[in-house]
Amino acid sequence: MKRINNFIIILIVFGFSCSNNNNITKLDEYPAIYPDYTDIHIPYNIAPLNFMIKENCTELNIEVSGKYGEIKTSGKAKVLFPLNKFKDLLFKHKNDTLSVKVTAKINNKIIQYKSFRWFVHEEPIDSYLTYRLIEPGYEVWNKINISERNTTNFDDKVLADNNLIEGSCMNCHIGSKQNPSKSFFHIRGPNGGTIVAEGEKLRKLNTKPVGSYANAIYGNWHPSGNYIGFSTNIVLPATHTIHDKRVLVYDTKSDIIVVDLNKNEIISSPLVSRNDKFETFPEFSADGRKLIFCVSDSVKLPEDYKSLHYNLCSIDFNEKDRTFGKQVDTLINARVKKKTVSEPKASPDGKYILFTWFNYGTFPIWHREAKLCTYNLHDGSIDSLPEVNNNNYSNSYHSWSSNSRWFVFASKRDDGLYGKPYFSYFDKNGKAHKPFLLPQKDPEFYDFTYKSFNIPELFEQARAFDAMDIERIYNDTLSVVKLKKMEE
Amino acid sequence: MIKRILNPNQILSLLFYTTVFLFFATIYKYHLYFKEQQQLFLLTAEYFVNTVKVPGGFLNYIGEFLTQFYYWPIAGAVIITFLIFIMQSATTKILNKIKKNPNLFPLSFLPAMFYGVLLCNDFYYLAGLVGFCISLWISVLYYNLNNRTIRFVFGIILIPMLSYLIGGAYLLFVVLISIFETIQIIKNGSKKINLLIIIIYLLIAVVFPLLLRQYFTITILQAFLTGAYYKLEVVLPFSLVLLVLSYPSLMLIYRYVTIQSTEKRKGLLIFSIQSVIIYTIGGIILFKSSFWGASNFVAYDNFARKGEWSEIIEMAKKENPQDQLSLVYLNLALSKTGQLGNQLFQFRQTGTNGLVLNDNNNNYEPFLVGNELYYHLGLVNVAQYFAFEGMETTPDHKKNVRCIKRLAETNLINSQYNVALKYLKLLDNTLFYSNWAKEKMLYLKNENKINKDPEYGLMRNLKPRSQYFFTYDQVDVILRICMKDNPKNIRAFEYLMTYYLLNKDLKSFKSYYSLGKEALTSNVPKSFQEAVIYIISHQVDQLNSSTIPGFVTADVVNRLNQYANIFTSYPNPKDLLEKNFKDTFWFYFQYR
């Protein structure tokens, strides 16, 4: 059967090629393919990069070739590569280049485009990507789920679905790069809490002890896996009335806490929970000795929202005796540049911090000008990553691959509204390369998807829990662990 | 003549189905429009696969397919009437299998009539009715199988199949076939095997939906009922339980109640009494139901959606709007027809909540109203907010034509063409909105066409230029900014002044009245004149030509004098004033 199929494909390709050879128009430009996979850097283990030509294409013929083999395939307007052949070809071309030749019949004209390249890297991307699927709305939500997608093929599974937990909101599924079985996320609602997963073991934490003004919101793991740094925020949205601006999301109060997962205690420092400052987005350095965070002067909101400028700061953190340093260091003074920093993420190799840089405020996804930048922890230089930010829409919600060679981020570059996961190769010299969109089995998938891929997060391992486990722990009202807040 | 052609059963059927059809085609037609707007049925293979692959999805697909024809209420009424007929005829067949009891024929209408009433509740899907029809007719098939083994095989295949394809109504099938097997035990005495069959049926009926939970992220309730029956998937609608239970009850009545009458007239009398009782019960349930109260709102909403503003005003003239959302539509209609300032108090006003929305809006309907209101006020981003949140607050969490259309429009106006295209692509795959979508696609990246469009061009002109945020409690501030950005925005000015009048805030009315000097190109609206003269009357000792502004007409001045005379001459003048002056700002200010 397989032979017959191959024979038919050969016949089609051969027939197509032969019958039109004399009428082929050669263009010295790249085809307008979607997703844009022209001249990109890819890991050898990525799922097939299926793509399509949207405009009036009736026949498509593709040749992917390299030193050690090739794939020829065809379609009407879409290219769907055979999984195994694709993976085999990429595997053979680690640290090498593949050339992709596209010939298309568009408006009854056969056009052969300039070939583009795929630079295949031997450093793999983490095999699992989790994200929250949510409509990019204002304040209300309906269906939300946190899903896990295998980046090396097209398998996916639902990790948590709010359909099973009384429609409650869920957010911020964050993993520990150094402890790949660990992750956490929040479930709001009457039976909610912060779900901490350590392998198959799930715990539900109440992060709002008596006297606290808010639950834990944004957080990141300490590399030891024993602590999670959180910010507690009172978050408010406001609807813009002009132009293409939609929502301003701002905090009217925020501080930083650290949760000790072994002792179920909350610790903090007056230096990261000042009344005259908004402290948010905590992150630990790769060695765990610094707590990195964003901080702004508190201003009157929403009136003075344009004065909200968050600097990138750090403070020492001693894991053994659970103490904070005596002073806060400013890594990036964004306020003097009338800019703001958010979502710092330390690369697992300890060399860089990837962060979002935009005009004002704390929540970048509705800021068209939000760009990703890196801060070099060795020399303090900032790179504006031009290859990554070459568009006029928000790029944010980034996460490193465990080998620090790739990062994923949510970008609204396609239409300005729906965030999609893009991957970028980050080479040893600290240069980020042209990003590419998470491939799908059907390249038209994104056209008919009305959800944003929120907070994409890379994982080396698959999560050991699923939506039913989350349903169980949500409904188990007795299982919640109340954290004790320690004196500062 | 009729007597010779039709027997009493046929007469009853004819009457019943004619009533059902007329009800849905006329009295209830606005609800049909409303329901049609609450879904988005796509004619694509992907939509079919994605809908059908989940439990109950097959039934949902059929239901949505049929519901799209509510676009024409006559077609909707035909579909509903036909399905009710299918349900009733299957019910008759099943009951006749228990015992032929012709004098109880009117009872066979009860379940179908009950479902007809349920369909008047926006939370019940048409799909549910289809599900019950399928379940009943498959039960009829089962009842006609004489061979026990074939019946058993049929049963064990059909229970899971129906559970997956049509959801909740499969339970009716299980109930009916279990009753049938019980009757076989009574009739034939073969207890053990039939009892075993029943137990197996019940086991499959319970276990299969639970197994589905391994493959789909659905709750236990959803596994049994599925989302094809009731929009709120977290609630077990008691009415459906009642409907299932009505069958064993009717079977018992058919089996054990015998109305025999040798006299033809007496038989006809009993038949007629039953029919009248059933009609009456149906009527009472229908008109006493809470959802009946929404009738006027859906009519207002339908007219607002289509821009039929005069229809709204005519409707309000017959009966004042009973709820604040309808009143918002009425005031918008008055504004759209240039009558807000003149006709405002012709209708009973209840405060600013009848003009703009308050922030107590957790349901779907206020978002629809906000979407229309702010769109026509030129606050495109606010309309977009309401349209988007409206889509998120639908009880069944599904996309709907109404909001998607508006989102396509707001994104076109805002030059967000890629997002607009995303929505237009959806509509392009529908039966009734494809042409609309294709026409709107011509606007994509065509700034000139949008600017020249009478509606979109106007919206672009009315859009505020200043940066600020929308909040429910500061609508007047937003309207003032609109006026500042566009001093000729007469609608914003009328709304601003009306807001202050309805809020009885004469200080602000006075302070900001001058904002309208460029917008007010014709006569000053009557209500505004009444407010101005009222303010002046409290500032000066006497109203005369030097104290009365030129734009206040003599008629308004005379009426104020008459009003003041009555007010000062009677100890309790409210009734008299209401009789003659309830259409004035003065009466509203003092007594509402």
Side-chain angles (χ1 to χ4, degrees), chain A residues 54 78 134-143 158 161 163-166 238-248 302-303 305-306 360 368 393 413-418 420 442 444 446-450 467-468 471, chain B residues 42 44 46 213-214 216-220 222 233-234 367 379-382 384-386 388-389 391-394 396-399 404 407 411 414 416 418-419 421-423 425-426 429 463-470 478:
Chain A
K54 288 187 177 181
K78 300 175 187 174
I134 185 172
E135 293 270 358
Y138 295 77
E139 295 168 58
V140 188
W141 68 88
N142 56 43
K143 289 185 177 176
V158 177
D161 191 325
N163 181 45
L164 300 181
I165 52 171
E166 301 175 325
T239 305
H240 280 281
T241 51
I242 62 160
H243 309 310
D244 52 348
K245 293 191 174 178
R246 285 168 73 92
V247 197
L248 174 77
E303 291 84 351
Y305 67 95
K306 284 197 173 173
Y360 56 84
R368 289 179 65 150
Y393 293 109
R413 65 187 60 199
D414 281 2
D415 52 41
L417 181 59
Y418 293 88
K420 302 184 184 97
D442 180 354
E444 207 177 2
Y446 292 106
D447 277 1
F448 288 95
T449 296
Y450 292 82
M468 298 274 270
E471 182 190 22
Chain B
L42 303 182
T44 62
E46 288 84 0
R213 288 212 337 129
Q214 303 301 315
F216 301 96
T217 52
I218 49 176
T219 61
I220 292 174
Q222 288 163 357
E233 292 187 46
V234 291
F367 284 106
L379 292 164
V380 175
N381 278 23
V382 182
Q384 183 170 273
Y385 160 80
F386 277 95
F388 206 102
E389 299 296 73
M391 201 163 66
E392 294 290 286
T393 48
T394 49
D396 55 3
H397 303 160
K398 288 181 181 172
K399 296 218 168 341
I404 291 286
L407 289 173
N411 281 288
N414 280 337
Q416 297 297 298
N418 288 337
V419 183
L421 176 63
K422 211 166 160 71
Y423 296 129
K425 269 186 177 177
L426 276 180
N429 286 305
K463 266 174 65 176
R465 292 183 291 277
S466 303
Q467 173 76 280
Y468 55 91
F469 299 108
F470 173 79
I478 293 168

